[in-house]
Amino acid sequence: MQFQPGELTLQVAQMTRDFAEREIRPHVMEWDESQYFPREIFRRLGELGLMGVLVPEAYGGSGMGYHEYKAAIVEIAKVCGSVGLSMAAHNSLCTGHILAFGNEEQKKKWLPRLASGEAIGAWGLTEANTGSDASNMRCTAVRDGNDWILNGTKNWITHGISGEIAVVITRTGEPRTKNNATAFVVERGTSGFLAGKKENKLGMRCSETAEMIFDQCRIPDANRLGEVGDGFHQSMKILDGGRISIAALSLGIARGAYEAALAYSQQREQFGKPIAQFQAIGFKLADMYTEIEAADLLTDQAAYKKQQHLPMTQDAAMAKYYASEVAVKVANEAVQIFGGYGYTKDFPVEKFYRDAKLCTIGEGTSEIQKLVIARSIQR
């Protein structure tokens, strides 16, 4: 497999890079400090086709592939991990779930709004008591004639307040049993669909994370995605693709931190020469660059297999696990290279440092990825 980027991939990367420099970089710290969710940025990303990267043109999307998707996330995350995270969650989770498991009527109803950025998507699987143990969820859906009544709370949801269209996985059977969950689409404004607490986070602060609350929320059966009982299995498939996006997000954060550290080390002088010329710093930069390149190749491999409709659960887990851990390591080393300046908000690496950690937790912790990999290699 060769992963030389094609002309379209390079064009998407350049377009996204220009947008991020022009529209995002001037506001990064302002948004981070105030935890402001820049809703208008996602409308503009929609105008560029980046809110429906993988959605076919027939449903209002760009109809591009995973390599273009990866390139776009990397370029956004090099500037702001928070915006990259929100873009990834919108595309891979909510939009991706409807694209993968919605019927024709459902796709025509919701995908054009999501792909254009008119609506932003949320995806609800996690609950306060069920992080990795998602099959033990307590949020329920009970059938009532041709409707379903949802009750419960979803936690740690990207766009839990601002998302206009949410895919919600609810329990429709007994806890920890097979086929016990079903996925539904719930639109903002539906009676009983409420926004809850917004989390005050260490990093990714301008990517909105909040509760979604369902209190006697009645929706029609027409909002059900796939068969009753298929929700958990659907979610695991969606997370496979989502892990590629988190690997790309990690890669972008790592590249942003590395590039900042490299530039600083070539300018900062101690003992009469740039610190990059000292072996201690040079070796750090060498390790950072090597590990970023390795993470890039793992991410490309997973993206290639996903694009070719090949089995890729193990590949996605390896890419997400390795790239996220590399992002944390590279951001940590970048702060070290900056020294005291790296610990201040006047320089960019402290934000990369804070943002990177989420990548080892969201869409399956590093420990869960190792579990997936271990099971795959023992079959």
Side-chain angles (χ1 to χ4, degrees), residues 92-369:
S92 289
L93 300 180
C94 176
T95 305
H97 201 134
I98 295 171
L99 178 62
F101 297 105
N103 58 37
E104 192 66 16
E105 183 179 347
Q106 291 168 334
K107 291 177 183 179
K108 288 179 178 177
K109 180 177 181 180
W110 289 306
L111 289 180
R113 291 175 58 200
L114 290 163
S116 68
E118 174 195 338
I120 196 164
W123 191 75
L125 176 65
T126 303
E127 299 179 9
N129 63 308
T130 57
S132 300
D133 185 18
S135 65
N136 193 33
M137 68 184 72
R138 294 178 182 173
C139 184
T140 61
V142 177
R143 189 148 197 170
D144 183 23
N146 201 39
D147 293 337
W148 292 83
I149 299 175
L150 278 57
N151 281 290
T153 302
K154 294 293 180 178
N155 298 72
W156 304 103
I157 307 305
T158 305
H159 314 141
I161 295 170
S162 297
E164 288 94 353
I165 297 173
V167 172
V168 185
I169 296 84
T170 64
R171 184 162 57 78
T172 50
E174 293 301 313
R176 291 203 184 96
T177 58
K178 285 187 176 181
N179 306 318
N180 75 336
T182 304
F184 298 91
V185 176
V186 187
E187 295 193 54
R188 188 69 61 181
T190 302
S191 178
F193 178 21
L194 310 170
K197 174 191 173 186
K198 180 178 178 178
E199 302 297 342
N200 185 9
K201 299 174 296 182
L202 168 73
M204 301 291 194
R205 288 171 60 81
C206 84
S207 177
E208 179 186 277
T209 305
E211 293 177 324
M212 293 193 302
I213 300 169
F214 302 92
D215 182 10
Q216 294 296 112
C217 178
R218 182 180 291 270
I219 56 173
D221 187 57
N223 287 29
R224 173 170 47 83
L225 294 171
E227 299 300 319
V228 174
D230 280 354
F232 184 75
H233 301 290
Q234 291 176 9
S235 299
M236 295 304 101
K237 292 178 181 177
I238 293 303
L239 286 172
D240 280 347
R243 285 165 183 164
I244 296 173
S245 72
I246 299 301
L249 178 68
S250 304
L251 190 58
I253 291 171
R255 286 200 186 282
Y258 164 76
E259 290 174 7
L262 176 63
Y264 178 81
S265 70
Q266 292 170 331
Q267 296 165 5
R268 170 73 167 173
E269 290 190 0
Q270 293 286 274
F271 306 101
K273 62 181 179 181
I275 63 173
Q277 294 181 17
F278 290 98
Q279 190 178 72
I281 302 301
F283 278 10
K284 285 183 186 295
L285 292 167
D287 283 342
M288 293 158 76
Y289 184 79
T290 301
E291 291 176 4
I292 288 170
E293 289 298 297
D296 198 357
L297 287 170
L298 279 172
T299 306
D300 272 332
Q301 176 173 273
Y304 172 83
K305 289 190 175 181
K306 178 68 174 177
Q307 191 64 34
Q308 298 299 316
H309 306 290
L310 298 171
M312 42 66 71
T313 297
Q314 178 183 328
D315 300 272
M318 290 192 300
K320 195 271 187 188
Y321 164 57
Y322 187 73
S324 64
E325 295 291 339
V326 165
V328 171
K329 181 178 178 181
V330 167
N332 180 60
E333 292 287 46
V335 172
Q336 195 71 17
I337 289 171
F338 270 78
Y341 291 114
Y343 205 66
T344 72
K345 292 182 181 292
D346 295 327
F347 292 84
V349 290
E350 67 85 27
K351 182 176 184 299
F352 288 123
Y353 183 72
R354 289 184 289 108
D355 286 350
K357 187 57 193 171
L358 184 278
C359 297
T360 70
I361 299 170
E363 296 198 33
T365 62
S366 290
E367 290 74 20
I368 288 294
Q369 305 314 311

